[in-house]
Amino acid sequence: MDLGTVLTVVELVQKAIAIYERIESLPQQMAQMGRRMEDLNVFLVRLQNFLEREAENNKKAKNDKKPRTQLLSGQLDDLRRLLGRIKTNAEKVYDVFDRYKSGILSRSKDLTFRSPWMTQLWFSLVDSSADKIQAIIDDIDQQRSLLRDYLVLMAVEKAYEPRPGRSLEKTTLAVPTRRAPPSPSPTPPRRDYKILFVDPYNEARSVIAEALLKLLGQLTLKARGDWRIAEVHSAGFFAKRKSECVDVIDGLDYSDKTFRLPWRSSSKSPDAMALSAVFDNKWADYPFKEDIRNEITERTSRGMMKNVFSRFDFVFVFTIRDHDNMIKLKDALLKKEGADAAPRCKGRVLQLGTYLAQKRGQVQEILHPLEKKDPKKDREGWNKQVSEIRTALKGFLKQEMKWTPPDDKSAASTS
């Protein structure tokens, strides 16, 4: 990834933010656009810091390699195109704010307003109509969402943690931000999160993760703990049954030819040995375990729905391939269905292996046992897989949901 390209985009975004900060009074919708640019800037700065660190490490190692990004060439091309779209929007936003601040009616004809109230009237009714500004805001939201997904794919969030002895302030490029007045009372934590697990065919890993998270939820509730997840489901990217995205997925420009897998049309039940590894043990050995087992066993594989990114808060995948395919699908649905296909703060795509203990700046793939170099087709292989997924889920719950693990004694005392 070219650091110079990122620096150019960051400079333009911060230039737009700087002029937004200098305007004392703005219509509500234009102020909203400025705040969106501030949000976008956070992720761009993280990308910049990541690339600068990689360049610094290469310099110390005395090599001329470009910063490491863990992206394939096709993924890098997509990221460059995304940065180009962000750059275009930043230029539009700066122009809107600059003309508003200066009272410029037309740059081509060098016409200006004589009084501020005329400027506000013109921008409100004619030049920057609600539809025009909203279109820019929607674009920024989409670009921010996609950029965030790429940062996860590149493990930027892991690498962004400050180094020992180096404060966070020294790793960021801060710009002045408008601070909203403090809320009169703290907002109660959400308890309506919706989570989806996706693998290619919805027969093993995604089903395992769905079952394990439901079991963890019941254990938490049994111990009278705080459970903040309302729905848990799973799906298969290339499962044709009940899929609403077959045409869209067929039309994706895959980053690598191996990322496109064949469709499976038949409705298959979850892998029996995988489910045995989840349920045939002493862990979470309560009556609800059998209920969840029956629910999972009776269901069959299903494909992707068009509302995947608007319905679910977190969409978990297990490999780089699956992560990249989901980003492609999100981008395609945004272009086809509009901003409602992935509203702001919804449909966050994550690799579950992000939450496994590992070296900083790395994301561990959770491979199907048959995808590993030394596959174990027996129960031992699935036991290891289940343990890995359960560990990652606990890491996610602790980090994102502020979850306190229930112990067996607290759960048993309520039975």
Side-chain angles (χ1 to χ4, degrees):
M1 189 70 218
D2 183 12
L3 177 58
T5 300
V6 177
L7 288 171
T8 299
V9 177
V10 170
E11 182 180 0
L12 285 169
V13 169
Q14 294 187 353
K15 183 180 176 183
I17 293 172
I19 193 170
Y20 157 66
E21 293 292 335
R22 291 198 299 269
I23 302 174
E24 293 183 0
S25 179
L26 274 171
Q28 182 178 357
Q29 197 178 36
M30 289 179 66
Q32 186 182 27
M33 183 169 67
R35 291 193 295 271
R36 290 294 201 274
M37 293 298 286
E38 290 176 337
D39 292 342
L40 178 63
N41 179 61
V42 171
F43 291 95
L44 286 168
V45 167
R46 290 184 180 184
L47 176 59
Q48 177 185 339
N49 288 338
F50 175 81
L51 295 176
E52 286 177 338
R53 287 184 181 183
E54 288 299 318
E56 181 183 341
N57 291 338
N58 287 340
K59 185 178 180 180
K60 289 180 179 178
K62 297 181 179 180
N63 64 55
D64 298 324
K65 294 180 180 179
K66 291 184 178 180
R68 175 185 59 84
T69 63
Q70 300 191 123
L71 299 182
L72 301 175
S73 59
Q75 296 169 330
L76 284 170
D77 289 341
D78 290 335
L79 180 55
R80 290 189 190 100
R81 282 192 287 269
L82 175 60
L83 290 171
R85 286 152 51 191
I86 292 173
K87 178 175 177 287
T88 299
N89 259 341
E91 291 168 343
K92 289 180 183 178
V93 172
Y94 177 84
D95 182 67
V96 169
F97 286 142
D98 183 51
R99 287 193 296 117
Y100 184 91
K101 182 176 182 295
S102 305
I104 298 173
L105 170 62
S106 171
R107 291 193 186 278
S108 61
K109 297 181 181 180
D110 197 26
L111 298 175
T112 60
F113 292 103
R114 293 185 178 180
S115 58
W117 71 266
M118 293 178 65
T119 302
Q120 295 183 19
L121 183 64
W122 172 263
F123 272 79
S124 298
L125 300 180
V126 183
D127 187 69
S128 293
S129 66
D131 289 345
K132 289 181 181 179
I133 297 298
Q134 190 60 49
I136 295 176
I137 291 173
D138 289 344
D139 260 358
I140 295 171
D141 282 345
Q142 293 172 18
Q143 290 159 5
R144 176 182 174 275
S145 177
L146 291 169
L147 179 61
R148 180 182 61 185
D149 290 339
Y150 274 106
L151 297 192
V152 173
L153 187 59
M154 295 164 62
V156 169
E157 296 298 316
K158 287 282 183 183
Y160 189 71
E161 298 170 358
R163 298 173 181 174
R166 187 177 182 184
S167 66
L168 182 61
E169 287 76 12
K170 292 181 180 179
T171 67
T172 59
L173 299 179
V175 296
T177 57
R178 298 176 186 234
R179 299 296 180 186
S183 302
S185 59
T187 304
R190 283 185 57 187
R191 291 181 175 80
D192 61 348
Y193 284 101
K194 298 178 182 179
I195 294 176
L196 179 72
F197 297 99
V198 179
D199 61 5
Y201 299 114
N202 193 211
E203 296 168 6
R205 282 165 298 176
S206 60
V207 181
I208 288 174
E210 177 187 352
L212 288 173
L213 191 57
K214 287 179 176 178
L215 287 169
L216 285 168
Q218 290 301 314
L219 278 175
T220 304
L221 292 171
K222 195 169 187 62
R224 298 195 179 114
D226 184 20
W227 188 248
R228 301 173 61 188
I229 299 170
E231 288 186 34
V232 183
H233 295 283
S234 61
F237 196 84
F238 293 102
K240 190 169 273 190
R241 178 177 175 271
K242 293 188 177 180
S243 176
E244 299 175 348
C245 299
V246 174
D247 292 342
V248 179
I249 291 173
D250 274 339
L252 296 180
D253 181 18
Y254 291 89
S255 295
D256 188 89
K257 63 181 181 180
T258 62
F259 285 13
R260 181 170 188 163
L261 302 180
W263 287 100
R264 287 187 186 170
S265 302
S266 59
S267 57
K268 292 191 66 176
S269 298
D271 186 285
M273 191 174 291
L275 290 190
S276 178
V278 173
F279 294 103
D280 292 337
N281 50 57
K282 296 293 184 179
W283 180 72
D285 200 9
Y286 297 100
F288 61 73
K289 188 175 186 179
E290 192 63 26
D291 295 336
I292 293 175
R293 181 174 195 158
N294 291 337
E295 174 195 344
I296 296 293
T297 302
E298 290 172 2
R299 49 155 298 181
T300 52
S301 57
R302 52 194 167 203
M304 305 301 300
M305 302 189 71
K306 289 181 179 179
N307 67 352
V308 56
F309 300 107
S310 60
R311 177 178 176 181
F312 296 98
D313 298 282
F314 295 94
V315 179
F316 280 109
V317 295
F318 300 89
T319 66
I320 291 175
R321 174 198 63 211
D322 301 335
H323 192 288
D324 190 63
N325 287 351
M326 289 302 299
I327 295 175
K328 296 275 191 182
L329 178 60
K330 179 190 282 189
D331 198 14
L333 289 175
L334 283 168
K335 291 175 181 176
K336 184 176 181 180
E337 306 290 333
D340 290 342
R344 179 175 168 80
C345 300
K346 297 285 283 187
R348 186 179 177 189
V349 182
L350 293 168
Q351 277 185 246
L352 188 58
T354 300
Y355 298 94
L356 289 172
Q358 58 206 287
K359 293 180 180 179
R360 187 178 67 181
Q362 294 181 355
V363 174
Q364 182 175 327
E365 291 192 299
I366 300 178
L367 299 172
H368 189 290
L370 298 181
E371 292 178 309
K372 297 182 178 180
K373 294 181 180 179
D374 184 22
K376 294 182 178 179
K377 301 179 183 180
D378 56 10
R379 171 69 181 274
E380 182 184 348
W382 283 114
N383 285 346
K384 184 177 180 180
Q385 180 94 115
V386 168
S387 176
E388 196 172 50
I389 292 175
R390 185 167 57 208
T391 299
L393 289 173
K394 289 180 177 179
F396 159 72
L397 292 170
K398 291 175 183 177
Q399 183 171 324
E400 305 291 347
M401 301 288 166
K402 310 305 178 188
W403 174 73
T404 301
D407 55 56
D408 289 338
K409 291 180 180 179
S410 64
S413 66
T414 62
S415 59

